[in-house]
C-alpha cells in the first residue's frame, strides 16, 4: 500500500484526532461521553466480528451476542472473587477469545446446511440458550451466580498498571475511562487490521465467493464447510475478546446484558453502516451507540423550541426517534450508509442482477 | 394421568396462540420471502385498540358480545390500515434492495410502534375486560375453559379459511403466482403491488384477531407484549416450515406442546438437574434438531404450496 | 424515487433533533437569588421498556420530595437551598446504567437516588463510589449491592435476605404451611427473594415440594402450575413482580389449584388487585417498612401523590421520597451539600420517613428492616402484621 503525500497527511491527522479525542470530549461534553466512546469502540469490535460472518460470508447470525457473553463470563469467572481466582488479564482475555472461538465452531457445525432465515432462527436460539444457561447455572452447583451476576470483577491490569484507577503520566491526568479508551482503541485498530488483511486474503475471497453463490464456490474447489466454520470461528473470537474487555471495564456482568436485543443492535450496526465494508461498519457502530445518547439530551429542548413546552416525555421520544432513524436511513440508503464498492456496483446494475444476488445469497428455497 | 392430560391441554392452548400469530408471519413470508419482524407489534396494537374500544363501549353499557364484535371490527380495521402503511412505507421501497435492508426497517418499525403505544396507552399494564365466557369444563380430571376452547377453534378456523382462500379463490391464485415468480405473475396481468398489499392487510387482520384472543385469555395487556409473542411465533413458523400455512399451525401447536411438556417433565427426565428454567433451551434444542434433519422445517419443502 | 417525499418531514425532524443534540446539557434553571445554593439530586430508573411504569413511579416519588423541599425552603449551613432533579433513563440495561451514572457524575450531582433494579444499581455503584457520590437505592434488594464494600452505597429498602426471612417464617409458622411450592422469575430480584424465602421456610419446618421457574416476560404459567398442582402444596410463593403475578394467580384459580398465594414487595401493588380481580382475593404480599397509613405523614403523602400524578402509588415512590429526605437531612446535619462532607453523616443518620424510621447499618443496609405483611381482603390490601424491626413510633 503506497500512500501519497495527501493521504499521509490525512492519516496523521486522524491519528492525532483519535489520540486527543478523550481529552477533547472530556473538556467539552463531560466524562460521560468518554465512556460512551469506550462503548462505541467495544461495539465497533463486535460489529467488525459480526461483519465477518454476515458481511463477508453472508451467514445471517442473530445470536452473535452469545460470544460476547462467553468472553465476558470467562473473564468474570477467572478474575473475580467468584472462585477466588484472580488470573492476569493477558491470560484471561485470550482464553475468553479462544473459548468463544470453540463455541463459534460448535454453533457452526450443526448449521452448515441451513441458509437464510432458518440459519437466523437457529443462531437466535443459540444465543438464547447461552443466556439461559448463564442465568441458571447457580444451582445445583453455583458457577455463574445466576441472575445476580458477578460483581467485583478485577479491573484490567497490565503488569502493575491498573486501568481501574486514575494515573498521572507525562504530566497528563489519565482517568480510568481514558485509559480504557486507549486500550480499546488499540484493540479496535488490531481488529480493523485483521479484517483488512482477511478481506484481501484467499480466505476472504472464499467467504465472498460463498456469499455470492455457494454452489459455484464449491465447484471452484472451495471447501465450503471449513471456510464457513472459519467465518463463525473468526467472528466469535472477536466477540469473545470484546466480551473480556467489557467485563473488565464494567466490573460487573449479569445475563441481562446479553439479550437478543444486543444481537439485533450489532446486526443493525453492520447493515446500517454498510455490510462487508469496514469503514461502513465502523461508522454504523459509532452512529448507533451515539444516536440514542445524543437523543437523550436532544428530545426535550427541541420540543421546547418547537412547541414552547414539553408535550411528550423526552425519554419516550428517544427510542421512537431512534426507530425512525433506522427506517429513514435504510430507505434513503438501502445498501447502508457506506456500502462496499462491490455492493454499490450491484445496486447500479439492472434489477435482474440484484434479484439473482438476493435469491442465491440469502435464500435457497427459490 | 390427569396431569399429563392437563399439560397437553395447556400446550394446545398456548400452541394455538402461537399458531394464530405464526399464520400472519407465514402469509407475508410466503409471498415476499420477508420476515415481518414488526408483526408481533401489530398484534399488540390490535389488543390495545380492542382494549380502548371495549372500555368505551362497556362504559356506554353495551352487552359483552356486541362489545367484543365491535372491538374486533375496529381492531381489525386499524391493524389492516397499519399493515398497509407498514408495507408501503417500510418494505415496498426496499423490494429490490439487499435482503437485510427490510429486516432493519422492520426492527425500526417495531421500535417505533412500541414507543408510540407507550405514549398513547401509557406504561402500565391494563386489565383486559372479560368479554368471552370463561366457565371451566372438566375433562378427565383436567380443566379447560371457554376462552381456551374458543382460541383453539379460532386458530383452526383461521387456518382452514386461509387455506381455502389461497387454494380456491382468484386472489389466492394471484398470491401463489406472486410467491412463485413475481415478474411472471406481473406479465400474466397480476397486479403485484395490490396482491402484496392485500396479503399484508390480511396478515395484520389476523394479528388483530390474535391480539384479542391472547388478551382475552390472559386478561392483561401491555405495550411490550408483542415482542416475546412475535419471537415465539416466528420460532413456530420456522419449525413448521416458514411460508407454509399448515406448517405454521403445526409448528405453533408443537412449540406449545414442547414448552408445556418440557416445563412439566424436564425435571423428572433429567433427574432434577434441569428444571422448568430450561424450558426454552429444550424448545430450541428441538428446533435445532428438526432443522438439522429437515433444513427447511417440518412441512417446508412443498414449495408450490407456499402462499 | 416517489416515496421519498413522504419522508421529508421525518428526515427534517430527525435532523433538527440531531443538530440540537450538539448542545448537550440543558441549561440549569437560574436560581432566584445569587446567594441561593443549588443542590443537584440525580435520579435514575428505567423510564422506557417493560418496567417503565415502576421506573416512572420512582421518578415521581423523587420529584415530589424535591418539590416539597423547595416549597418548604431548606437551609443548609445557613444558606437557602434550591434542589434540582436530574432524572435519567437507564433502560434496565447495566451498560446504559454506567453511562447514565457517569453523566450524572459529570453534571456534579450532590447525591443519587437510584437505581431501580439490582442489575443496574450494582455496576453504577462502582462509578458513584469512585467519585465519592452518595447513592441511595430506593428499591434494589440484592444482598450483593451493599456487600461490595462501597462507602457510598445505601438503601432504604429491606434486602432480599431480610425480607425473604420474614416471608418464610410467616408462611411456615403463622400460616402453618407444611408443603410449599416456590416459583421464581429468574431475575436478580425474584431469584434472590425466592431462595431466601425457601431457606427460611425450611428452617421453619415446611417442606419445599417444588421449585419451578418462569421469566419476567411470561404470561402463561399453566405448565408449571399444573406440575405444582400434582404435588398438592398448601402455599405457592412467587418471587417476581405484579405483571407476572396477575396472570399467575388467575391461572392458579382456573386450574383449580387451591393453595394460598404469596408474593414479596413486587406483588404489593394496586395493579395486582385491579388486574386480577376476584382471583387476587386472599393473596399475601409483603412490603418493607410499616404501613403508610400508620406513619405520620404517610396518609397525607399518598393523598398528595394521587392528586399530583393522577394515579395511585405503584410501588416504590414512598421509598424514593424517603431517600431524598434522608439525604437532605444528612446534608443539613453536616451543614454542607458537598458529598465528602455529608457522606459520613449519612451513614449515621436517623430519620423518621413515611415508610419507616430510617438508619443504616455499617454496610449501608436499612437497620432493623421491619417488614409488613398484607393480604387482599374484600378487594383491598389490608395490613396483617409488622414483623422484625422496631414498631412505628406513632401509630394512628
Amino acid at each position: 500500500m503506497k500512500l501519497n503525500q495527501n493521504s499521509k497527511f490525512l492519516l496523521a491527522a486522524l491519528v492525532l484526532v483519535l489520540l486527543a479525542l478523550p481529552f477533547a470530549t472530556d473538556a467539552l461534553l463531560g466524562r460521560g461521553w468518554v465512556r460512551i466512546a469506550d462503548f462505541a469502540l467495544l461495539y465497533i469490535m463486535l460489529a467488525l466480528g459480526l461483519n465477518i460472518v454476515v458481511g463477508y460470508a453472508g451467514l445471517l447470525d442473530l445470536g452473535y451476542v452469545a460470544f460476547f457473553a462467553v468472553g465476558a463470563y470467562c473473564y468474570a469467572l477467572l478474575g473475580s472473587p467468584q472462585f477466588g481466582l484472580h488470573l492476569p488479564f493477558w491470560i484471561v482475555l485470550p482464553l475468553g477469545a479462544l473459548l468463544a472461538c470453540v463455541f463459534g465452531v460448535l454453533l457452526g457445525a450443526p448449521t452448515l446446511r441451513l441458509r437464510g432465515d432458518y440459519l437466523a432462527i437457529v443462531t437466535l436460539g443459540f444465543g438464547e440458550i447461552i443466556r439461559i444457561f448463564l442465568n441458571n447455572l447457580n444451582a445445583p452447583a453455583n458457577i455463574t451466580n445466576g441472575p445476580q451476576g458477578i460483581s467485583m470483577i478485577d479491573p484490567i491490569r497490565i503488569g502493575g498498571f491498573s486501568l481501574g484507577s486514575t494515573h498521572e503520566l507525562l504530566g497528563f491526568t489519565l482517568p480510568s475511562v481514558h485509559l480504557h479508551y486507549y486500550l480499546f482503541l488499540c484493540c479496535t485498530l488490531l481488529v480493523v487490521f485483521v479484517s483488512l488483511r482477511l478481506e484481501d486474503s484467499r480466505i476472504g475471497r472464499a467467504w465472498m465467493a460463498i456469499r455470492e453463490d455457494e454452489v459455484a464456490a464449491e465447484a471452484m474447489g472451495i471447501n465450503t464447510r471449513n471456510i464457513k466454520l472459519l467465518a463463525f470461528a473468526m467472528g466469535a473470537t472477536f466477540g469473545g475478546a470484546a466480551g473480556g474487555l467489557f467485563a473488565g471495564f464494567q466490573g460487573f456482568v449479569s445475563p441481562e446484558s446479553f439479550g437478543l436485543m444486543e444481537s439485533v443492535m450489532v446486526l443493525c450496526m453492520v447493515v446500517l453502516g454498510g455490510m462487508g465494508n469496514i469503514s461502513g461498519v465502523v461508522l454504523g457502530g459509532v452512529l448507533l451507540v451515539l444516536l440514542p445518547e445524543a437523543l437523550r439530551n436532544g428530545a426535550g429542548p427541541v420540543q421546547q423550541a418547537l412547541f414552547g413546552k414539553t408535550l411528550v416525555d423526552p425519554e419516550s421520544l428517544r427510542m421512537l426517534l431512534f426507530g425512525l432513524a433506522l427506517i429513514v436511513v435504510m430507505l434513503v440508503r438501502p445498501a447502508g450508509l457506506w456500502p462496499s464498492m462491490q455492493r454499490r456496483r450491484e445496486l447500479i446494475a439492472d434489477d435482474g442482477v440484484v434479484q439473482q444476488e438476493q435469491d442465491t445469497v440469502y435464500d435457497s428455497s427459490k | 394421568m390427569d396431569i399429563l392430560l392437563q399439560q397437553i391441554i395447556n400446550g394446545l392452548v398456548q400452541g394455538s396462540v402461537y399458531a394464530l400469530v405464526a399464520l400472519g408471519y407465514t402469509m407475508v413470508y410466503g409471498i415476499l420471502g420477508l420476515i415481518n419482524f414488526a408483526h408481533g407489534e401489530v398484534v399488540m396494537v390490535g389488543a390495545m385498540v380492542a382494549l380502548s374500544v371495549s372500555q368505551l363501549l362497556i362504559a356506554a353499557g353495551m352487552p359483552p358480545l356486541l362489545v367484543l364484535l365491535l372491538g374486533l371490527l375496529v381492531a381489525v380495521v386499524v391493524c389492516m390500515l397499519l399493515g398497509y402503511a407498514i408495507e408501503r412505507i417500510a418494505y415496498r421501497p426496499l423490494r429490490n434492495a439487499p435482503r437485510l435492508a427490510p429486516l432493519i426497517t422492520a426492527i425500526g418499525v417495531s421500535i417505533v410502534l412500541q414507543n408510540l403505544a407507550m405514549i398513547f396507552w401509557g406504561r402500565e399494564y391494563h386489565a383486559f375486560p372479560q368479554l368471552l365466557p370463561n366457565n371451566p369444563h372438566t375433562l378427565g380430571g383436567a380443566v379447560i375453559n371457554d376462552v381456551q376452547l374458543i382460541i383453539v377453534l379460532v386458530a383452526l378456523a383461521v387456518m382452514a379459511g386461509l387455506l381455502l382462500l389461497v387454494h380456491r379463490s382468484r386472489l389466492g391464485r394471484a398470491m401463489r403466482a406472486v410467491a412463485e415468480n413475481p415478474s411472471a405473475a406481473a406479465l400474466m396481468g397480476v397486479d403485484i403491488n395490490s396482491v402484496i398489499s392485500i396479503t399484508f392487510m390480511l396478515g395484520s387482520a389476523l394479528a388483530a384477531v390474535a391480539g384479542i384472543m391472547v388478551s382475552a385469555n390472559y386478561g392483561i395487556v401491555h405495550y411490550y407484549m408483542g415482542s416475546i409473542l412475535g419471537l415465539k411465533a416466528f420460532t413456530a413458523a420456522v419449525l413448521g416450515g416458514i411460508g407454509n400455512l399448515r406448517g405454521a399451525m403445526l409448528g405453533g401447536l408443537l412449540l406449545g406442546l414442547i414448552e408445556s411438556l418440557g416445563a412439566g417433565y424436564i425435571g423428572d427426565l433429567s433427574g432434577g438437574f434441569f428444571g422448568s428454567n430450561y424450558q426454552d433451551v429444550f424448545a430450541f434444542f428441538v428446533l435445532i434438531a428438526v432443522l438439522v434433519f429437515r433444513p427447511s422445517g417440518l412441512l417446508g419443502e412443498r414449495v408450490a404450496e407456499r402462499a | 424515487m416517489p416515496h421519498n417525499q413522504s419522508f421529508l418531514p421525518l428526515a427534517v425532524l430527525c435532523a433538527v433533533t440531531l443538530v440540537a443534540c450538539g448542545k448537550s446539557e440543558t441549561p440549569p434553571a437560574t436560581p432566584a437569588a445569587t446567594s441561593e445554593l443549588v443542590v443537584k439530586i440525580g435520579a435514575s430508573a428505567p423510564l422506557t421498556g417493560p418496567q417503565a411504569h415502576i421506573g416512572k413511579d420512582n421518578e415521581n416519588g423523587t420529584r415530589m420530595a424535591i418539590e416539597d423541599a423547595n416549597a418548604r425552603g431548606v437551609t443548609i449551613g445557613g444558606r437557602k437551598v434550591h434542589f434540582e432533579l436530574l432524572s435519567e433513563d437507564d433502560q434496565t440495561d447495566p451498560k446504559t446504567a454506567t453511562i447514565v451514572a457517569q453523566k450524572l457524575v459529570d453534571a456534579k450531582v450532590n447525591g443519587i437516588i437510584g437505581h431501580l433494579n439490582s442489575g443496574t444499581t450494582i455496576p453504577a455503584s462502582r462509578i458513584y463510589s469512585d467519585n465519592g457520590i452518595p447513592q441511595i437505592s430506593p428499591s434494589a434488594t440484592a444482598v450483593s449491592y451493599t456487600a461490595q464494600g462501597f462507602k457510598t452505597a445505601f438503601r432504604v429498602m429491606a434486602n432480599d435476605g431480610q425480607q425473604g426471612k420474614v416471608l418464610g417464617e410467616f408462611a411456615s409458622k403463622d400460616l402453618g404451611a407444611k408443603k410449599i411450592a416456590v416459583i421464581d422469575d429468574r431475575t436478580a430480584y425474584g431469584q434472590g427473594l425466592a431462595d431466601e424465602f425457601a431457606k427460611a421456610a425450611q428452617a421453619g419446618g415446611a417442606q419445599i415440594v417444588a421449585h419451578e421457574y418462569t421469566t419476567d416476560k411470561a404470561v402463561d404459567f399453566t405448565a408449571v402450575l399444573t406440575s405444582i398442582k400434582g404435588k398438592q402444596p398448601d402455599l405457592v410463593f412467587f418471587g417476581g413482580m405484579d405483571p407476572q403475578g396477575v396472570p399467575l394467580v388467575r391461572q392458579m384459580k382456573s386450574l383449580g389449584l387451591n393453595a394460598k398465594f404469596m408474593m414479596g414487595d413486587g406483588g404489593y401493588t394496586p395493579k395486582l388487585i385491579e388486574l386480577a380481580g376476584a382471583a387476587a382475593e386472599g393473596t399475601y404480599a409483603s412490603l418493607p417498612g410499616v404501613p403508610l397509613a400508620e406513619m405520620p405523614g404517610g396518609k397525607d403523602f399518598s393523598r398528595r401523590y394521587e392528586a399530583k400524578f393522577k394515579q395511585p402509588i405503584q410501588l416504590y415512590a414512598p421509598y424514593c421520597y424517603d431517600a431524598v429526605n434522608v439525604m437532605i437531612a444528612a446534608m443539613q446535619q453536616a451543614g454542607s451539600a458537598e458529598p465528602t462532607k455529608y457522606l459520613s453523616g449519612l451513614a449515621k443518620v436517623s430519620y423518621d420517613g413515611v415508610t419507616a424510621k430510617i438508619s443504616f447499618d455499617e454496610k449501608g443496609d436499612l437497620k432493623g428492616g421491619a417488614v409488613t405483611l398484607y393480604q387482599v381482603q374484600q378487594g383491598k390490601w389490608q395490613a396483617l402484621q409488622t414483623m422484625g424491626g422496631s414498631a412505628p413510633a406513632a401509630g394512628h
Side-chain angles (χ1 to χ4, degrees), chain C residues 206-219:
Chain C
Q207 186 196 351
I208 305 295
V209 291
H211 195 142
E212 298 289 343
Y213 310 90
T214 181
T215 71
D216 59 344
K217 296 179 188 72
V219 284

Side-chain angles (χ1 to χ4, degrees), chain B residues 10 14 89 123 218 223 276, chain C residues 7 47 49 212-213 220 223 226:
Chain B
N10 296 340
Q14 173 87 79
I89 296 171
R123 298 178 164 85
Y218 299 118
Y223 77 91
S276 46
Chain C
F7 286 101
L47 302 173
E212 298 289 343
Y213 310 90
D220 195 305
T226 301

Side-chain angles (χ1 to χ4, degrees), chain B residues 24-44:
Chain B
Y25 263 112
T26 256
M27 288 258 307
V28 169
Y29 188 91
I31 201 157
L32 274 183
L34 163 90
I35 310 169
N36 179 11
F37 259 111
H39 192 68
E41 311 310 326
V42 181
V43 173
M44 176 272 296

